[in-house]
Amino acid sequence: MKVYSTWKNSTYLFDFFIGEVSDLLEDQLTKIASVDTEIYTKEKQLLWKGRIRVKFNEFGIYPIPEDLSSIELPSSVLKMLLIELRRYIKPQKSFL
């Protein structure tokens, strides 16, 4: 799913696709989704491509901090990524 996000005169395109979903072994209510992610500029230039793991349960959606810290982009882009990633997972959570 492609999502355009604008914040403080910066526009980025986030392309998300859920690759796989697995149960967390110690907690049967928590699942981990691997989300294939691509980040583009407004001019369609690829900034970053990779996989981000996201934990989710009935209480919330939590991207894995180690995956986010490995991305070498400005903090404003990472904040936009967090918002859009949670917004992407939320409506699909009950079906995963």
Side-chain angles (χ1 to χ4, degrees), residues 6-58:
T6 302
W7 188 64
K8 290 189 177 181
N9 299 327
S10 299
T11 302
Y12 295 97
L13 171 69
F14 298 97
D15 190 8
F16 300 119
F17 182 78
I18 296 178
E20 63 180 276
V21 177
S22 59
D23 290 330
L24 199 59
L25 294 177
E26 59 266 4
D27 183 8
Q28 296 298 322
L29 299 175
T30 302
K31 295 184 179 183
I32 296 180
S34 295
V35 181
D36 296 324
T37 307
E38 297 175 2
I39 303 172
Y40 296 94
T41 62
K42 184 171 44 175
E43 294 80 24
K44 305 280 197 276
Q45 177 186 3
L46 181 65
L47 294 177
W48 185 81
K49 180 179 182 177
R51 183 169 278 192
I52 299 174
R53 295 170 296 157
V54 179
K55 285 185 187 179
F56 61 95
N57 58 24
E58 61 188 42

Side-chain angles (χ1 to χ4, degrees), residues 42-84:
K42 184 171 44 175
E43 294 80 24
K44 305 280 197 276
Q45 177 186 3
L46 181 65
L47 294 177
W48 185 81
K49 180 179 182 177
R51 183 169 278 192
I52 299 174
R53 295 170 296 157
V54 179
K55 285 185 187 179
F56 61 95
N57 58 24
E58 61 188 42
F59 303 110
I61 301 166
Y62 314 100
I64 305 290
E66 294 85 19
D67 293 350
L68 296 173
S69 66
S70 67
I71 301 173
E72 299 288 330
L73 290 174
S75 63
S76 61
V77 178
L78 292 177
K79 289 177 185 177
M80 291 169 65
L81 173 63
L82 279 172
I83 292 167
E84 297 301 336

